[in-house]
Amino acid sequence: IDVRGGGSGEGISELINGVTDIALSSRELTEAEFEKLNRNQTLESIVVAYDGAAFVVHPNNPIDNITLEQASDIFTGKIKNWKEVGGLDKPIQVVVRDSYSGTAHYIKEHVVRQLDLGQSHYFKNKQNDYSKEANVLINNEEIIDFVNKNPDSIAYMGMGIAHFKSKLKLLKYSRTKEEEPV
């Protein structure tokens, strides 16, 4: 048995190309992926776990909470300075995962494009994308290292690695400013 990482997209691609017999994904298959994988009507999909996503910053960052709209505006580059969300007058360094990441896909759809605020928000923001100035990293270890070395950065990652929170600060999150952050 050969076990490798690389992101949801890489595993799905290797499954489609016959390089592997089993793959894990932290996102749903796209329609095109499903059609390619199920061409012989043999695709079996099994949910084995659920994960949450967290927005993380350097432990010295004074920000404790973030809303969905603030996160959307930060990750698209509309908000560029921490003072715009109640922090210090410092430029924000945005960190995102590469296109193979299921977490990146989830955050783009549900937060950046605001699907979690409902269909009307989503259709209004469907063209939103990550800032072209964002730092693109390929795994959580790189994110942890980058955020630790760059106090003005923000990133996201799965809660499955929350045991690193002594090195990072997990922001409390709410969909709207009226909701209680969790």
Side-chain angles (χ1 to χ4, degrees), residues 13-70:
S13 176
E14 288 187 1
L15 196 60
I16 289 170
N17 294 320
V19 176
T20 188
D21 298 316
I22 189 170
L24 297 175
S25 177
S26 61
R27 64 168 174 81
E28 295 287 328
L29 296 172
T30 66
E31 189 174 322
E33 290 167 341
F34 179 82
E35 288 174 10
K36 288 177 185 174
L37 288 168
N38 201 35
R39 60 186 168 263
N40 297 326
Q41 306 292 312
T42 58
L43 177 66
E44 186 173 353
S45 177
I46 302 168
V47 176
V48 294
Y50 288 99
D51 194 6
F55 292 103
V56 296
V57 294
H58 190 276
N60 294 338
N61 189 316
I63 298 295
D64 292 318
N65 306 324
I66 193 167
T67 66
L68 183 149
E69 288 187 271
Q70 288 172 325

Side-chain angles (χ1 to χ4, degrees), residues 14-178:
E14 288 187 1
L15 196 60
I16 289 170
N17 294 320
V19 176
T20 188
D21 298 316
I22 189 170
L24 297 175
S25 177
S26 61
R27 64 168 174 81
E28 295 287 328
L29 296 172
T30 66
E31 189 174 322
E33 290 167 341
F34 179 82
E35 288 174 10
K36 288 177 185 174
L37 288 168
N38 201 35
R39 60 186 168 263
N40 297 326
Q41 306 292 312
T42 58
L43 177 66
E44 186 173 353
S45 177
I46 302 168
V47 176
V48 294
Y50 288 99
D51 194 6
F55 292 103
V56 296
V57 294
H58 190 276
N60 294 338
N61 189 316
I63 298 295
D64 292 318
N65 306 324
I66 193 167
T67 66
L68 183 149
E69 288 187 271
Q70 288 172 325
S72 177
D73 288 348
I74 288 170
F75 282 89
T76 60
K78 184 176 177 183
I79 292 178
K80 296 183 178 292
N81 193 298
W82 283 111
K83 71 180 176 182
E84 297 177 69
V85 291
L88 301 174
D89 187 7
K90 302 270 187 169
I92 299 172
Q93 293 184 37
V94 174
V95 179
V96 300
R97 285 284 308 273
D98 64 10
S99 62
Y100 288 108
S101 167
T103 306
H105 176 78
Y106 181 87
I107 295 293
K108 183 189 286 187
E109 291 297 310
H110 290 264
V111 177
V112 171
R113 295 180 176 164
Q114 302 182 11
L115 180 59
D116 283 356
L117 292 178
Q119 290 294 325
S120 63
H121 282 271
Y122 180 73
F123 289 120
K124 185 173 82 175
N125 296 290
K126 192 170 180 160
Q127 299 306 315
N128 281 3
D129 205 347
Y130 291 120
S131 168
K132 301 227 182 299
E133 298 168 7
N135 299 280
V136 180
L137 303 178
I138 61 169
N139 61 47
N140 290 321
E141 291 76 23
E142 286 185 3
I143 290 173
I144 293 165
D145 186 54
F146 187 95
V147 173
N148 268 301
K149 292 177 180 173
N150 297 279
D152 301 318
S153 60
I154 185 169
Y156 54 78
M157 60 181 53
M159 289 296 294
I161 61 149
H163 61 279
F164 286 108
K165 67 182 175 180
S166 62
K167 294 182 178 182
L168 303 174
K169 180 178 183 179
L170 281 66
L171 296 180
K172 291 182 181 178
Y173 174 79
S174 62
R175 287 183 312 144
T176 66
K177 60 185 173 189
E178 293 78 30

